[in-house]
């Protein structure tokens, strides 16, 4: 075998113990580097999962409906309160055009405005709401996050106060 390449066994490095140890140590170093990269990736994945869970818990613990709407006017995310108040399932709300929930609400999201708007539920009923919006950066560009607070009770109290004043 060695003669075919023009060297003898004595000239080869196959018998050199130091050469073998050097290659074993280099292989171990490569293996440790790969292991460190795998551990680092697993830690990053764990951190991302924890952050995602924290963000979900934050949205779900909010007392008001929350919608996240992209620049095209499509709903990216909604919390459980939004689903219950608007009458839509999570799948129905995802990618639903905010225009379906009412033109005033859609205008508020488009113009980044806040204030009183009418909001339409899935059953066609409407309720007055106070909307507070804020822009947020996403990997797909800027989106708007909005809280929708039912203003029915406030409006009823204002109407009652006006009637009392007229008396």
């Amino acid at each position: 075998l060695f003669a075919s390449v023009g060297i003898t066994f004595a000239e080869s490095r196959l018998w050199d113990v130091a050469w073998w140890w050097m290659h074993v140590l280099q292989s171990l170093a490569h293996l440790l580097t790969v292991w460190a990269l795998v551990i680092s990736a697993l830690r990053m994945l764990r951190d991302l999962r924890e952050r995602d869970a924290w963000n979900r818990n934050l949205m779900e613990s909010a007392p008001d409906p929350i919608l996240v709407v992209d620049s095209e006017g499509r709903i990216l995310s909604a919390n459980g309160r939004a689903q219950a108040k608007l009458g839509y399932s999570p799948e129905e709300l995802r990618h639903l055009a905010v225009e379906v929930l009412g033109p005033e609400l859609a205008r508020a999201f488009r113009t980044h405005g806040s204030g009183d708007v009418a909001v339409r539920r899935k059953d066609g009923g409407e309720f007055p709401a106070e909307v507070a919006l804020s822009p947020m950066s996403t990997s797909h560009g800027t989106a708007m996050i909005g809280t929708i607070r039912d203003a029915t009770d406030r409006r009823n109290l204002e109407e009652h106060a006006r009637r009392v004043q007229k008396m």
Side-chain angles (χ1 to χ4, degrees):
L1 173 72
F2 294 104
S4 66
V5 290
I7 61 171
T8 65
F9 179 75
E11 294 171 330
S12 75
R13 304 216 60 193
L14 294 177
W15 60 271
D16 188 354
V17 174
W19 181 84
W20 280 104
W21 274 112
M22 180 184 71
H23 285 287
V24 166
L25 290 176
Q26 284 177 344
S27 296
L28 284 174
H30 292 304
L31 185 63
L32 288 174
T33 301
V34 169
W35 181 254
L37 289 171
V38 168
I39 295 297
S40 177
L42 289 173
R43 284 184 181 145
M44 286 176 24
L45 186 60
R46 182 200 62 210
D47 292 347
L48 284 172
R49 285 184 181 145
E50 286 175 1
R51 190 177 323 135
D52 187 49
W54 190 85
N55 288 336
R56 270 196 317 271
N57 288 337
L58 181 66
M59 271 192 64
E60 290 303 322
S61 66
D64 295 318
I66 296 177
L67 297 176
V68 179
V69 177
D70 68 11
S71 59
E72 301 296 318
R74 299 259 173 220
I75 297 172
L76 298 175
S77 180
N79 67 353
R81 300 252 199 271
Q83 295 160 18
K85 185 71 177 170
L86 300 172
Y88 289 93
S89 70
E91 295 79 28
E92 290 173 317
L93 270 177
R94 182 156 300 147
H95 304 295
L96 182 72
V98 75
E99 188 77 33
V100 172
L101 303 177
E104 292 177 5
L105 184 63
R107 188 176 321 106
F109 272 98
R110 251 191 331 274
T111 62
H112 304 186
S114 296
D116 291 345
V117 298
V119 178
R120 186 179 309 125
R121 291 186 293 269
K122 183 179 178 182
D123 64 10
E126 289 189 352
F127 64 93
E130 298 170 7
V131 178
L133 302 170
S134 181
M136 65 183 272
S137 294
T138 70
S139 59
H140 303 291
T142 301
M144 294 297 291
I145 184 166
T147 58
I148 302 169
R149 177 162 289 168
D150 190 334
T152 304
D153 292 339
R154 180 181 59 90
R155 293 245 178 115
N156 289 341
L157 284 172
E158 289 171 354
E159 181 62 30
H160 178 70
R162 277 193 292 272
R163 277 188 267 139
V164 169
Q165 280 183 339
K166 288 182 181 179
M167 292 184 167

